[in-house]
Amino acid sequence: MVFGRSSGYLTLEVIHVQGPVRKRGEVAHITLNRPEVMNAIDLETHQLLRQTWADFRDDSTLRAAIITGAGDEAFCGGADLKTHVPQWLGVPGMHPMGARGKVRDGLGGLTRGMHRIYKPVIAAVNGWALAGGFETALAADIRIASENARFGSFEVRRGFHHADGGVVRLVNTCGVGFASETLLTGEPVDAQRALTANLVSKVVPHGRLLDAAEEMMATILRNDQTALESAKETLFDVIGRPLDEQLAVEAWYGYALMGNEKIPDRLRSFYDKSDKGRAGKNATSL
């Protein structure tokens, strides 16, 4: 396992999140650790990330992940163009058919190829999320932004555009209007604009970013893992379908959960008003 070790490019730590307490256990904290280049993803980091997401997916002791960037400047500056672009420009033997192989291999894995991981993933966006870094943040289920966070799709300035899910996920998350403005102008989006566009779930003071991510993760981890993963799979599978198909997929996946063996115990605590994180007059802690 790579978890709990530092590769130099990635720092990985397994933490159990329960309120303000950080214990080793259920949550993988993944930190892009190349602050000298805005945590850009070179070819080596790309392979390390792919392996990390595969290990996370396959480790039954891990329930969720939080990904962030090292330092205060950047979440991720995207692909390290000095290592990625030469694969495509001016390299003998490289031709457009090579793109067919890339279809199975998105930047860092989570953007494409490893995207069908149904465990929850939160992106704690601590600074600039640019290009492939923007795509990596979009590939997470939930984004929480520092007040210093900035998002940018500047590729059109360089002669290309997103190819690792940035266009698709921006449209699915924020709608065509916001996506069109962001992609076609090549102008940055600050944290508050991102919040109004539903690009991020909340904006918090910079120093509270990881605490806020862990607090939200605690609310996620009170829930049944089978139900969480089925809900995420349902979200993936209804996108882009006609309404009747969406409703059928939701019903199929939702009613299939009635065989979950943990339901009786969870219902009992609900009836007893003792389940975690209740609000109102019967409030309980997480």
Side-chain angles (χ1 to χ4, degrees):
M1 284 294 295
V2 296
F3 291 102
R5 299 202 300 269
S6 173
S7 69
Y9 294 131
L10 289 174
T11 302
L12 304 114
E13 185 178 8
V14 178
I15 295 172
H16 174 70
V17 178
Q18 186 173 357
V21 180
R22 295 160 60 95
K23 299 179 181 178
R24 299 186 65 80
E26 296 180 312
V27 179
H29 276 225
I30 302 169
T31 303
L32 296 165
N33 193 19
R34 302 183 73 214
E36 70 281 0
V37 289
M38 296 181 69
N39 299 317
I41 300 172
D42 65 359
L43 292 174
E44 183 175 357
T45 307
H46 164 70
Q47 294 299 333
L48 285 167
L49 266 176
R50 279 183 56 83
Q51 186 59 53
T52 295
W53 290 120
D55 289 342
F56 168 67
R57 176 196 62 198
D58 297 339
D59 189 334
S60 61
T61 68
L62 295 173
R63 296 187 59 198
I66 296 172
I67 182 168
T68 193
D72 295 326
E73 182 181 9
F75 170 75
C76 177
D80 189 329
L81 299 182
K82 292 179 180 179
T83 61
H84 284 273
V85 170
Q87 295 183 96
W88 303 100
L89 300 180
V91 177
M94 182 59 71
H95 52 79
M97 287 294 289
R100 296 183 67 172
K102 287 295 293 179
V103 168
R104 298 184 295 272
D105 184 32
L107 183 69
L110 190 64
T111 61
R112 189 176 57 255
M114 296 288 172
H115 64 283
R116 283 269 179 182
I117 295 175
Y118 299 129
K119 298 176 183 180
V121 178
I122 292 177
V125 184
N126 55 303
W128 280 104
L130 297 170
F134 194 175
E135 292 174 307
T136 299
L138 281 167
D141 304 304
I142 297 169
R143 285 155 296 285
I144 298 177
S146 154
E147 59 195 354
N148 297 340
R150 301 290 186 274
F151 300 85
S153 296
F154 301 160
E155 289 91 331
V156 289
R157 303 186 192 182
R158 324 288 181 230
F160 48 98
H161 60 68
H162 287 304
D164 291 308
V167 176
V168 171
R169 291 191 174 99
L170 198 56
V171 169
N172 288 342
T173 302
C174 302
V176 173
F178 179 80
S180 296
E181 178 186 343
T182 303
L183 297 170
L184 301 183
T185 65
E187 286 294 301
V189 176
D190 66 20
Q192 288 302 323
R193 178 75 194 285
L195 182 63
T196 64
N198 294 322
L199 176 59
V200 301
S201 295
K202 60 172 62 177
V203 177
V204 299
H206 186 69
R208 285 208 72 253
L209 179 62
L210 288 181
D211 288 341
E214 290 169 4
E215 287 163 6
M216 183 172 287
M217 188 60 80
T219 67
I220 291 172
L221 293 180
R222 69 179 168 181
N223 301 317
D224 179 75
Q225 190 72 12
T226 302
L228 286 172
E229 295 186 17
S230 179
K232 182 171 176 177
E233 183 179 11
T234 304
L235 284 168
F236 278 18
D237 286 354
V238 299
I239 291 173
R241 293 177 183 261
L243 176 60
D244 286 356
E245 290 184 19
Q246 290 179 327
L247 292 170
V249 169
E250 179 184 349
W252 179 259
Y253 290 9
Y255 282 105
L257 279 172
M258 293 300 103
N260 184 351
E261 62 184 14
K262 296 180 181 177
I263 288 177
D265 286 341
R266 284 186 166 268
L267 283 177
R268 192 173 299 111
S269 65
F270 169 69
Y271 297 147
D272 293 342
K273 298 180 173 57
S274 61
D275 48 318
K276 295 180 179 179
R278 292 181 71 95
K281 65 179 182 180
N282 297 308
T284 58
S285 67
L286 290 173

